Amino acid sequence: MSLVEFLRARRSFYIFGSILTAIVLSISISLGAAMRQHAQDTAGPAHVTITISGAPGSSHSTPAHHHWHPESFRDLNFKIPLGLLFGIAAYATIILATILGTSLNSENGRGGFAFTKPISRERLALTYFAVDAAAGVAIFALALILCAIALAAFGVLDRVFLDSGAIAVAAAGTGAALMWYGLLQALTSWNRLKGGLITGITWATFLIVLPLYEVTQLGPIFHTMLAGINYLNPLAYYTACSLDGQTVAVLSQLGFGTGQVIAFTWTLGIAGLAIATYGWKQVEV
């Protein structure tokens, strides 16, 4: 049965990975072509006037010629924290986690085939979770590779450096993916409803609730209801990443720090998997 889930996870990885690769490469190629065209249209030296002050009341200006092409990012003084790339890769992992988050439910409509194996359902569920986790690690790595390719294409890959918050950002982002994955498993493992429908409902609900949480004009009762939903919303924990000096930090709509985001998302994710395993065990053949 682990082979069945491996094939399912591999198919999802290939499809989503191909889409992700196509998007990144097309954007990189389009931007590169646009910048090369802009460089050709603005070819020629740039004239810079430099004023040199001498004796009081006297000055003279000297025209200087400086060649700079828009595509030459290396002329700019900046660095790229690795935590920023980890943050981008984490969002890709979240998406794949929602695609794979109904793996237990997918067996409920197969006539109980998964339950005829001479192993416990708990062990079988853990096997499915492990296969899906491996796919999540693979998509995280793929997203990092694509980021590296895009940066290398513009000649700034060497600007990447390991910032102090990189590991924490990766832990928070993968925690959000685990939380959503666990929530979907808990909602779908015990029934024969279409798991894809539940996944779509959670995406729609969380994306709508996220901005509405900031609206206070609808009254305290409505805001309290939204707050309750947001405590189950992985995107409310892992809303965005911000660059604070030379360190990337996680922004949470709920006001939690990065450490709290890591603790809550991983705890809720594991709890969701435990509930899902128990619910799946109760499914009748």
Side-chain angles (χ1 to χ4, degrees), residues 49-55 58-62:
T49 300
I50 303 175
T51 301
I52 304 176
S53 299
S58 67
S59 65
H60 65 276
S61 298
T62 303

Side-chain angles (χ1 to χ4, degrees), residues 88-178:
I88 296 173
Y91 279 108
T93 308
I94 289 173
I95 295 175
L96 184 64
T98 62
I99 296 174
L100 299 175
T102 58
S103 54
L104 298 185
N105 170 268
S106 63
E107 296 296 342
N108 294 346
R110 288 163 53 92
F113 176 70
F115 307 137
T116 61
K117 295 295 180 180
I119 59 176
S120 66
R121 292 193 193 178
E122 292 88 346
R123 179 182 171 185
L124 191 58
L126 291 176
T127 301
Y128 278 34
F129 298 158
V131 172
D132 293 343
V137 172
I139 204 67
F140 188 92
L142 175 62
L144 285 180
I145 292 173
L146 292 175
C147 287
I149 292 174
L151 294 176
F154 293 107
V156 294
L157 182 59
D158 60 341
R159 303 295 178 89
V160 177
F161 72 98
L162 179 61
D163 59 294
S164 59
I167 303 302
V169 170
T174 53
L178 174 63

Side-chain angles (χ1 to χ4, degrees), residues 210-251:
L210 199 65
L212 286 180
Y213 181 75
E214 302 296 336
V215 178
T216 58
Q217 290 80 1
L218 299 177
I221 296 179
F222 184 75
H223 189 268
T224 300
M225 180 184 69
L226 294 179
I229 297 176
N230 259 343
Y231 276 102
L232 295 176
N233 183 357
L235 296 179
Y237 291 88
Y238 190 75
T239 306
C241 293
S242 67
L243 181 59
D244 182 12
Q246 295 295 320
T247 301
V248 176
V250 173
L251 292 181

Side-chain angles (χ1 to χ4, degrees), residues 14-31:
Y14 282 166
I15 295 174
F16 178 60
S18 298
I19 295 173
L20 187 63
T21 301
I23 292 175
V24 173
L25 293 182
S26 62
I27 291 176
S28 299
I29 294 173
S30 298
L31 286 177

